[in-house]
Amino acid sequence: MDSDERFMRQVLRLARKGLGSTSPNPVVGALVVENGRIIGSGYHKRAGVPHAEIVALSKAGDGARGATLYVNLEPCNHYGRTPPCTKAILDSGIRSVVVGAHDPNPHVTGGGCTFLRSNGVEVKCGVLEEECTRLNEAYIKYVTRGKPFVIVKGALTLDGWIATKTGDSKWITNEKSRKFAHSLRKRVDAIMVGVETIIADNPLLTPYLTRDSAPDPVRVIVDTTLRVPLQSRVFDSGTSALTIVASGSNVSNTKRKRLEGQGATVIKCQMRDGRIDLADLLDKLAEMSICSVLVEGGATLFGSIIRERLVDKFYMFIAPKILGGDNGVAFTRGPGCDMIEDCLTLRPSMVRRFDDDIMIEAYPG
């Protein structure tokens, strides 16, 4: 591994500290290196505060003059909530900048690196580009397509069930798997479930198994006819996070007002085949600056969002348990494919064990 890759891996570790806190901004880490020695480091903590480059340059002080800056994403070259990082880089006297990946934001693309080069700074781009791009995959989809990055998380028995015939699903996976799943909740802007999950499990939909300081994600309940019980724990979960109930277009004002009295925000969505049009719902969430959504069930919602090809990534947890029989709750409900060749094919990017459980991280292929 050359020195550029070694320092970029440290940058990525710094950047990951911002996961779940920076949206709608990307997660970014930065190092200032002089003669192989790190003299300044930083990461972007949340939107509106100094960017990673500014933090690292501030720590380096006068030592930044003639040094190299490492950053996983192209430095911004525009005024947003904060001034452009490119100006601060020039003012610091940095000699060279090593970038992991270009920023596809229409306000940034090519601008940061081009501006620095035109002002005499050496720029090298593309170091660990795949890892740097993947780290900000939700941000990239949001700024390029204006839609949230959709993740499906499922926990299955070895024979493919997510619950017994009585609806019992506690617990298919072990504690380590559940803790990792809660860490996923902290990385996203919103958690989405169908109303049947609320009725059956009465979940909090908060990452209570983690101790991360990132803000709790928005809770989104897909509920075409507003059947969600008013006494559901999701309305009294001790978090300041917004609870959104997505309804169909023909719900009564009385039901809507009752839910709003519980602190929920009700948004009406277009209908498709008698159900909420999930693509329309995702567009409405994007308008609320929600860049990433973790879909946690149940089977009806899983089936719909997969059939509509709206999923960007899967986390599938498989436990070494066999329910047996044919009367459990399958991972998805609704019509499936007639032919195997029509199945959604996944491209696994990682397989990981949590004691006896196996987790497969995969992208639609």
Side-chain angles (χ1 to χ4, degrees):
M1 182 190 304
D2 65 22
S3 60
D4 284 347
E5 289 190 0
R6 178 166 56 87
F7 286 124
M8 191 61 71
R9 292 201 184 280
Q10 294 185 60
V11 165
L12 286 169
R13 283 195 289 271
L14 281 169
R16 290 187 187 100
K17 293 182 177 181
L19 283 170
S21 300
T22 64
S23 185
N25 288 357
V27 290
V28 182
L31 292 176
V32 178
V33 177
E34 172 62 20
N35 293 324
R37 185 173 64 91
I38 297 172
I39 60 173
S41 63
Y43 69 97
H44 186 42
K45 292 186 176 180
R46 64 181 183 277
V49 305
H51 290 184
E53 300 96 315
I54 306 302
V55 177
L57 290 171
S58 176
K59 291 181 179 178
D62 292 338
R65 189 161 300 278
T68 298
L69 174 70
Y70 288 83
V71 61
N72 59 294
L73 196 67
E74 180 178 12
C76 65
N77 191 39
H78 68 287
Y79 281 88
R81 297 187 188 183
T82 58
C85 290
T86 50
K87 183 179 185 303
I89 292 169
L90 289 181
D91 291 344
S92 72
I94 283 286
R95 176 181 57 83
S96 62
V97 177
V98 179
V99 177
H102 283 293
D103 189 338
N105 187 328
H107 296 294
V108 176
T109 302
C113 290
T114 300
F115 177 82
L116 291 171
R117 285 192 182 105
S118 67
N119 282 274
V121 178
E122 297 177 16
V123 178
K124 178 180 180 180
C125 192
V127 176
L128 299 182
E129 184 173 13
E130 183 176 349
E131 289 106 312
C132 292
T133 299
R134 183 168 294 177
L135 180 63
N136 276 304
E137 58 194 0
Y139 163 79
I140 289 171
K141 182 184 178 183
Y142 181 74
V143 297
T144 57
R145 297 174 56 190
K147 298 178 183 296
F149 189 86
V150 178
I151 304 166
V152 160
K153 186 225 15 134
L156 288 70
T157 63
L158 197 58
D159 50 349
W161 305 103
I162 62 172
T164 68
K165 65 178 181 180
T166 66
D168 181 43
S169 60
K170 294 184 174 59
W171 295 103
I172 289 176
T173 54
N174 60 40
E175 186 176 358
K176 285 187 177 180
S177 293
R178 296 197 299 274
K179 283 185 176 179
F180 182 83
H182 274 240
S183 75
L184 294 179
R185 288 182 173 184
K186 274 294 191 181
R187 300 181 191 179
V188 298
D189 294 338
I191 301 169
M192 181 185 292
V193 298
V195 66
E196 293 291 351
T197 295
I198 300 294
I199 293 172
D201 299 338
N202 198 16
L204 290 169
L205 295 184
T206 58
Y208 58 86
L209 290 181
T210 65
R211 297 180 180 178
D212 197 294
S213 60
D216 287 346
V218 171
R219 284 80 55 82
V220 181
I221 303 167
V222 182
D223 185 4
T224 305
T225 58
L226 296 187
R227 293 186 293 129
V228 58
L230 296 178
Q231 67 273 20
S232 298
R233 292 200 301 166
V234 73
F235 299 125
D236 186 27
S237 57
T239 178
S240 60
L242 182 68
T243 299
I244 296 172
V245 181
S247 76
S249 54
N250 298 319
V251 295
S252 73
N253 286 331
T254 300
K255 287 184 176 180
R256 176 180 58 79
K257 289 179 179 177
R258 285 175 181 169
L259 284 172
E260 290 174 344
Q262 293 293 94
T265 297
V266 180
I267 58 175
K268 291 185 179 182
C269 300
Q270 296 175 16
M271 300 287 286
R272 180 177 178 179
D273 299 327
R275 298 184 182 275
I276 288 172
D277 185 332
L278 295 175
D280 181 58
L281 169 56
L282 290 170
D283 285 343
K284 285 180 167 58
L285 295 178
E287 291 170 2
M288 301 171 70
S289 296
I290 292 175
C291 306
S292 55
V293 177
L294 179 65
V295 182
E296 294 199 352
T300 300
L301 180 57
F302 282 151
S304 296
I305 206 162
I306 291 171
R307 278 192 300 276
E308 293 178 33
R309 299 299 193 259
L310 296 173
V311 184
D312 297 293
K313 189 174 187 177
F314 289 83
Y315 284 98
M316 303 301 296
F317 294 82
I318 303 170
K321 297 176 182 177
I322 295 179
L323 185 65
D326 60 1
N327 59 352
V329 179
F331 174 53
T332 60
R333 282 200 183 105
C337 301
D338 291 332
M339 305 294 292
I340 290 295
E341 65 183 18
D342 297 325
C343 290
L344 175 64
T345 302
L346 301 185
R347 175 171 45 87
S349 62
M350 181 175 67
V351 177
R352 181 174 173 180
R353 286 189 62 170
F354 294 95
D355 288 340
D356 293 334
D357 293 347
I358 295 173
M359 183 199 76
I360 300 173
E361 175 186 327
Y363 296 86

mmCIF file with all atom_site columns, all heavy atoms in Angstrom, residues 25-37:
data_model
loop_
_atom_site.group_PDB
_atom_site.id
_atom_site.type_symbol
_atom_site.label_atom_id
_atom_site.label_alt_id
_atom_site.label_comp_id
_atom_site.label_asym_id
_atom_site.label_entity_id
_atom_site.label_seq_id
_atom_site.pdbx_PDB_ins_code
_atom_site.Cartn_x
_atom_site.Cartn_y
_atom_site.Cartn_z
_atom_site.occupancy
_atom_site.B_iso_or_equiv
_atom_site.pdbx_formal_charge
_atom_site.auth_seq_id
_atom_site.auth_comp_id
_atom_site.auth_asym_id
_atom_site.auth_atom_id
_atom_site.pdbx_PDB_model_num
ATOM 1  N N   . ASN A 1 25 ? -25.614 17.033 3.861  1.00 0.00 ? 25 ASN A N   1
ATOM 2  C CA  . ASN A 1 25 ? -24.225 17.122 3.405  1.00 0.00 ? 25 ASN A CA  1
ATOM 3  C C   . ASN A 1 25 ? -23.582 15.741 3.368  1.00 0.00 ? 25 ASN A C   1
ATOM 4  O O   . ASN A 1 25 ? -24.055 14.812 4.025  1.00 0.00 ? 25 ASN A O   1
ATOM 5  C CB  . ASN A 1 25 ? -23.410 18.025 4.339  1.00 0.00 ? 25 ASN A CB  1
ATOM 6  C CG  . ASN A 1 25 ? -23.773 19.491 4.196  1.00 0.00 ? 25 ASN A CG  1
ATOM 7  O OD1 . ASN A 1 25 ? -24.597 19.858 3.370  1.00 0.00 ? 25 ASN A OD1 1
ATOM 8  N ND2 . ASN A 1 25 ? -23.164 20.333 5.008  1.00 0.00 ? 25 ASN A ND2 1
ATOM 9  N N   . PRO A 1 26 ? -22.476 15.591 2.656  1.00 0.00 ? 26 PRO A N   1
ATOM 10 C CA  . PRO A 1 26 ? -21.746 14.322 2.660  1.00 0.00 ? 26 PRO A CA  1
ATOM 11 C C   . PRO A 1 26 ? -20.932 14.153 3.934  1.00 0.00 ? 26 PRO A C   1
ATOM 12 O O   . PRO A 1 26 ? -20.770 15.102 4.714  1.00 0.00 ? 26 PRO A O   1
ATOM 13 C CB  . PRO A 1 26 ? -20.820 14.456 1.444  1.00 0.00 ? 26 PRO A CB  1
ATOM 14 C CG  . PRO A 1 26 ? -20.573 15.932 1.339  1.00 0.00 ? 26 PRO A CG  1
ATOM 15 C CD  . PRO A 1 26 ? -21.868 16.587 1.746  1.00 0.00 ? 26 PRO A CD  1
ATOM 16 N N   . VAL A 1 27 ? -20.434 12.934 4.145  1.00 0.00 ? 27 VAL A N   1
ATOM 17 C CA  . VAL A 1 27 ? -19.498 12.701 5.248  1.00 0.00 ? 27 VAL A CA  1
ATOM 18 C C   . VAL A 1 27 ? -18.088 12.843 4.688  1.00 0.00 ? 27 VAL A C   1
ATOM 19 O O   . VAL A 1 27 ? -17.752 12.273 3.651  1.00 0.00 ? 27 VAL A O   1
ATOM 20 C CB  . VAL A 1 27 ? -19.691 11.318 5.906  1.00 0.00 ? 27 VAL A CB  1
ATOM 21 C CG1 . VAL A 1 27 ? -20.994 11.272 6.673  1.00 0.00 ? 27 VAL A CG1 1
ATOM 22 C CG2 . VAL A 1 27 ? -19.658 10.189 4.889  1.00 0.00 ? 27 VAL A CG2 1
ATOM 23 N N   . VAL A 1 28 ? -17.277 13.653 5.362  1.00 0.00 ? 28 VAL A N   1
ATOM 24 C CA  . VAL A 1 28 ? -15.950 13.975 4.848  1.00 0.00 ? 28 VAL A CA  1
ATOM 25 C C   . VAL A 1 28 ? -14.945 13.991 5.993  1.00 0.00 ? 28 VAL A C   1
ATOM 26 O O   . VAL A 1 28 ? -15.225 14.508 7.079  1.00 0.00 ? 28 VAL A O   1
ATOM 27 C CB  . VAL A 1 28 ? -15.941 15.358 4.153  1.00 0.00 ? 28 VAL A CB  1
ATOM 28 C CG1 . VAL A 1 28 ? -14.556 15.657 3.574  1.00 0.00 ? 28 VAL A CG1 1
ATOM 29 C CG2 . VAL A 1 28 ? -16.999 15.420 3.050  1.00 0.00 ? 28 VAL A CG2 1
ATOM 30 N N   . GLY A 1 29 ? -13.784 13.419 5.725  1.00 0.00 ? 29 GLY A N   1
ATOM 31 C CA  . GLY A 1 29 ? -12.652 13.502 6.638  1.00 0.00 ? 29 GLY A CA  1
ATOM 32 C C   . GLY A 1 29 ? -11.483 14.156 5.926  1.00 0.00 ? 29 GLY A C   1
ATOM 33 O O   . GLY A 1 29 ? -11.431 14.185 4.693  1.00 0.00 ? 29 GLY A O   1
ATOM 34 N N   . ALA A 1 30 ? -10.538 14.701 6.691  1.00 0.00 ? 30 ALA A N   1
ATOM 35 C CA  . ALA A 1 30 ? -9.395  15.375 6.083  1.00 0.00 ? 30 ALA A CA  1
ATOM 36 C C   . ALA A 1 30 ? -8.166  15.245 6.977  1.00 0.00 ? 30 ALA A C   1
ATOM 37 O O   . ALA A 1 30 ? -8.274  15.220 8.202  1.00 0.00 ? 30 ALA A O   1
ATOM 38 C CB  . ALA A 1 30 ? -9.706  16.855 5.840  1.00 0.00 ? 30 ALA A CB  1
ATOM 39 N N   . LEU A 1 31 ? -7.007  15.152 6.328  1.00 0.00 ? 31 LEU A N   1
ATOM 40 C CA  . LEU A 1 31 ? -5.717  15.136 7.017  1.00 0.00 ? 31 LEU A CA  1
ATOM 41 C C   . LEU A 1 31 ? -4.781  16.135 6.350  1.00 0.00 ? 31 LEU A C   1
ATOM 42 O O   . LEU A 1 31 ? -4.766  16.265 5.128  1.00 0.00 ? 31 LEU A O   1
ATOM 43 C CB  . LEU A 1 31 ? -5.066  13.752 6.933  1.00 0.00 ? 31 LEU A CB  1
ATOM 44 C CG  . LEU A 1 31 ? -5.692  12.576 7.672  1.00 0.00 ? 31 LEU A CG  1
ATOM 45 C CD1 . LEU A 1 31 ? -4.900  11.301 7.345  1.00 0.00 ? 31 LEU A CD1 1
ATOM 46 C CD2 . LEU A 1 31 ? -5.693  12.812 9.172  1.00 0.00 ? 31 LEU A CD2 1
ATOM 47 N N   . VAL A 1 32 ? -3.985  16.812 7.159  1.00 0.00 ? 32 VAL A N   1
ATOM 48 C CA  . VAL A 1 32 ? -2.880  17.618 6.647  1.00 0.00 ? 32 VAL A CA  1
ATOM 49 C C   . VAL A 1 32 ? -1.596  16.881 7.011  1.00 0.00 ? 32 VAL A C   1
ATOM 50 O O   . VAL A 1 32 ? -1.352  16.570 8.184  1.00 0.00 ? 32 VAL A O   1
ATOM 51 C CB  . VAL A 1 32 ? -2.878  19.037 7.255  1.00 0.00 ? 32 VAL A CB  1
ATOM 52 C CG1 . VAL A 1 32 ? -1.684  19.834 6.722  1.00 0.00 ? 32 VAL A CG1 1
ATOM 53 C CG2 . VAL A 1 32 ? -4.178  19.758 6.930  1.00 0.00 ? 32 VAL A CG2 1
ATOM 54 N N   . VAL A 1 33 ? -0.789  16.585 5.993  1.00 0.00 ? 33 VAL A N   1
ATOM 55 C CA  . VAL A 1 33 ? 0.418   15.761 6.171  1.00 0.00 ? 33 VAL A CA  1
ATOM 56 C C   . VAL A 1 33 ? 1.642   16.529 5.687  1.00 0.00 ? 33 VAL A C   1
ATOM 57 O O   . VAL A 1 33 ? 1.647   17.076 4.572  1.00 0.00 ? 33 VAL A O   1
ATOM 58 C CB  . VAL A 1 33 ? 0.275   14.431 5.401  1.00 0.00 ? 33 VAL A CB  1
ATOM 59 C CG1 . VAL A 1 33 ? 1.552   13.606 5.531  1.00 0.00 ? 33 VAL A CG1 1
ATOM 60 C CG2 . VAL A 1 33 ? -0.932  13.646 5.909  1.00 0.00 ? 33 VAL A CG2 1
ATOM 61 N N   . GLU A 1 34 ? 2.664   16.545 6.521  1.00 0.00 ? 34 GLU A N   1
ATOM 62 C CA  . GLU A 1 34 ? 3.928   17.189 6.170  1.00 0.00 ? 34 GLU A CA  1
ATOM 63 C C   . GLU A 1 34 ? 5.059   16.202 6.422  1.00 0.00 ? 34 GLU A C   1
ATOM 64 O O   . GLU A 1 34 ? 5.237   15.708 7.551  1.00 0.00 ? 34 GLU A O   1
ATOM 65 C CB  . GLU A 1 34 ? 4.132   18.450 7.008  1.00 0.00 ? 34 GLU A CB  1
ATOM 66 C CG  . GLU A 1 34 ? 5.493   19.105 6.860  1.00 0.00 ? 34 GLU A CG  1
ATOM 67 C CD  . GLU A 1 34 ? 5.781   19.595 5.445  1.00 0.00 ? 34 GLU A CD  1
ATOM 68 O OE1 . GLU A 1 34 ? 4.830   19.783 4.659  1.00 0.00 ? 34 GLU A OE1 1
ATOM 69 O OE2 . GLU A 1 34 ? 6.966   19.789 5.133  1.00 0.00 ? 34 GLU A OE2 1
ATOM 70 N N   . ASN A 1 35 ? 5.804   15.868 5.363  1.00 0.00 ? 35 ASN A N   1
ATOM 71 C CA  . ASN A 1 35 ? 6.914   14.923 5.465  1.00 0.00 ? 35 ASN A CA  1
ATOM 72 C C   . ASN A 1 35 ? 6.507   13.611 6.131  1.00 0.00 ? 35 ASN A C   1
ATOM 73 O O   . ASN A 1 35 ? 7.206   13.080 6.993  1.00 0.00 ? 35 ASN A O   1
ATOM 74 C CB  . ASN A 1 35 ? 8.077   15.558 6.237  1.00 0.00 ? 35 ASN A CB  1
ATOM 75 C CG  . ASN A 1 35 ? 8.716   16.700 5.477  1.00 0.00 ? 35 ASN A CG  1
ATOM 76 O OD1 . ASN A 1 35 ? 8.818   16.659 4.248  1.00 0.00 ? 35 ASN A OD1 1
ATOM 77 N ND2 . ASN A 1 35 ? 9.145   17.724 6.203  1.00 0.00 ? 35 ASN A ND2 1
ATOM 78 N N   . GLY A 1 36 ? 5.339   13.092 5.723  1.00 0.00 ? 36 GLY A N   1
ATOM 79 C CA  . GLY A 1 36 ? 4.865   11.814 6.230  1.00 0.00 ? 36 GLY A CA  1
ATOM 80 C C   . GLY A 1 36 ? 4.279   11.861 7.623  1.00 0.00 ? 36 GLY A C   1
ATOM 81 O O   . GLY A 1 36 ? 3.917   10.823 8.182  1.00 0.00 ? 36 GLY A O   1
ATOM 82 N N   . ARG A 1 37 ? 4.147   13.053 8.188  1.00 0.00 ? 37 ARG A N   1
ATOM 83 C CA  . ARG A 1 37 ? 3.626   13.190 9.551  1.00 0.00 ? 37 ARG A CA  1
ATOM 84 C C   . ARG A 1 37 ? 2.309   13.971 9.533  1.00 0.00 ? 37 ARG A C   1
ATOM 85 O O   . ARG A 1 37 ? 2.192   15.010 8.881  1.00 0.00 ? 37 ARG A O   1
ATOM 86 C CB  . ARG A 1 37 ? 4.650   13.921 10.424 1.00 0.00 ? 37 ARG A CB  1
ATOM 87 C CG  . ARG A 1 37 ? 4.269   14.030 11.900 1.00 0.00 ? 37 ARG A CG  1
ATOM 88 C CD  . ARG A 1 37 ? 5.448   14.610 12.692 1.00 0.00 ? 37 ARG A CD  1
ATOM 89 N NE  . ARG A 1 37 ? 5.750   15.969 12.266 1.00 0.00 ? 37 ARG A NE  1
ATOM 90 C CZ  . ARG A 1 37 ? 5.208   17.057 12.822 1.00 0.00 ? 37 ARG A CZ  1
ATOM 91 N NH1 . ARG A 1 37 ? 4.329   16.941 13.803 1.00 0.00 ? 37 ARG A NH1 1
ATOM 92 N NH2 . ARG A 1 37 ? 5.561   18.272 12.385 1.00 0.00 ? 37 ARG A NH2 1
#
